[in-house]
Amino acid sequence: MKVLETKNLHKKFHKLEVLKGIDFSIEQGQVISIIGSSGSGKSTFLRCLNFLEKKDKGDIIYQSKKVENKASSITELRKHVGMVFQSFNLFQNMTVLDNVASGLRIVNKMEKTKAEETAKEVLEKVGMLDKANEYPARISGGQQQRVAIARALAMSPDVVLFDEPTSALDPELVAEVLSVMQDMAKEGMTMVIVTHEMGFAKEVSDRVIFLHEGKIAEEGTPEEVFEHPQNERLQSFLNSMT
Ligand code: ADP
Ligand code: MG
């Protein structure tokens, strides 16, 4: 079953056409990676998917239903679509535990003890339970990103969107985050991952999309995209990555 789809998605910033008709869909349990040069529209695409940016044209379809551009529909969508950002975006004035529990309390109106219990379970999953009472500033970037992933997971999302989750990390901290993401993939989480980690994308993805100048220039299995790229732009992009 398709979890999330876009049809003919368009987005402009003033005169700059950033997305020029994206047709996309992800099935339950699938992992799709999106690759492409800086400025090709990857973040804008992810942000449009959960209405952090307002699309200009086209449809966003969640669980076979077109998402209306109104607050109640958007709030409902966001309950089920998790997002992990490059810059973690944790609340600096809250402990790790509160960062993870707050969505459950505020959005899901869960009672405090229950929310904290759930938060601890997901923190355990990402190997961060021992830092539950720390503040974000006192843990490493890799640890912060694992907390951000736990925060997304706490909401039991149907799909999680990742926007270059390891790009802000020191190289030695990348592996711990990728490892958590790999575990999620193995457990059947539906994931859309914008990444420059080609080795990871190749290993974990069911499909790979190459975005170029706001269009899907190529897509296929990791084998097709990485071993037998057809598009010239994709070929030179992949060459530039090695
Ligand atoms: P990517 O994530 O692939 O690097 P982005 O989606 O961030 O690309 O950006 C695509 C293009 O849109 C870039 O030229 C960028 O400068 C522009 N852009 C992104 N966000 C905004 C914004 N809020 N206002 C104006 N231009 C933007
Ligand atoms: Mg980006």
Side-chain angles (χ1 to χ4, degrees), residues 42-43 86 163-164 194:
K42 305 181 298 298
S43 295
Q86 183 174 343
D163 193 1
E164 296 197 34
V194 170

Side-chain angles (χ1 to χ4, degrees), residues 38-51:
S38 174
S40 56
K42 305 181 298 298
S43 295
T44 304
F45 175 65
L46 281 196
R47 294 170 62 81
C48 283
L49 280 180
N50 68 355
F51 290 75

Side-chain angles (χ1 to χ4, degrees), residues 14-164:
H14 306 285
K15 283 184 185 156
L16 181 69
E17 250 194 296
V18 178
L19 300 177
K20 303 172 185 165
I22 306 283
D23 292 311
F24 166 89
S25 75
I26 186 163
E27 306 262 336
Q28 190 169 344
Q30 247 187 349
V31 176
I32 296 185
S33 291
I34 301 178
I35 61 173
S37 332
S38 174
S40 56
K42 305 181 298 298
S43 295
T44 304
F45 175 65
L46 281 196
R47 294 170 62 81
C48 283
L49 280 180
N50 68 355
F51 290 75
L52 289 175
E53 296 289 353
K54 192 167 162 264
K55 67 185 165 64
D56 295 324
K57 211 167 86 181
D59 293 327
I60 293 163
I61 299 150
Y62 169 69
Q63 305 284 23
S64 306
K65 265 173 61 187
K66 193 168 131 182
V67 185
E68 302 295 333
N69 194 5
K70 58 177 192 197
S72 58
S73 309
I74 294 171
T75 306
E76 189 55 31
L77 175 82
R78 288 198 189 138
K79 277 190 194 171
H80 304 285
V81 180
M83 180 120 179
V84 174
F85 301 89
Q86 183 174 343
S87 50
F88 330 134
N89 294 12
L90 295 177
F91 303 113
Q92 294 297 316
N93 61 335
M94 284 186 196
T95 63
V96 161
L97 185 68
D98 288 342
N99 262 284
V100 178
S102 64
L104 292 170
R105 296 194 60 196
I106 297 162
V107 181
N108 292 4
K109 316 266 187 264
M110 199 182 268
E111 179 248 326
K112 185 166 189 254
T113 346
K114 184 84 191 17
E116 290 185 349
E117 217 171 89
T118 308
K120 283 178 182 166
E121 280 166 24
V122 284
L123 282 170
E124 168 95 75
K125 251 194 178 159
V126 303
M128 287 300 297
L129 185 54
D130 58 328
K131 301 286 185 194
N133 297 315
E134 280 295 358
Y135 283 86
R138 291 174 46 91
I139 58 177
S140 75
Q143 292 175 328
Q144 289 186 57
Q145 194 59 300
R146 286 192 278 151
V147 173
I149 292 172
R151 183 175 59 180
L153 281 179
M155 305 297 288
S156 309
D158 289 338
V159 48
V160 182
L161 316 177
F162 295 83
D163 193 1
E164 296 197 34

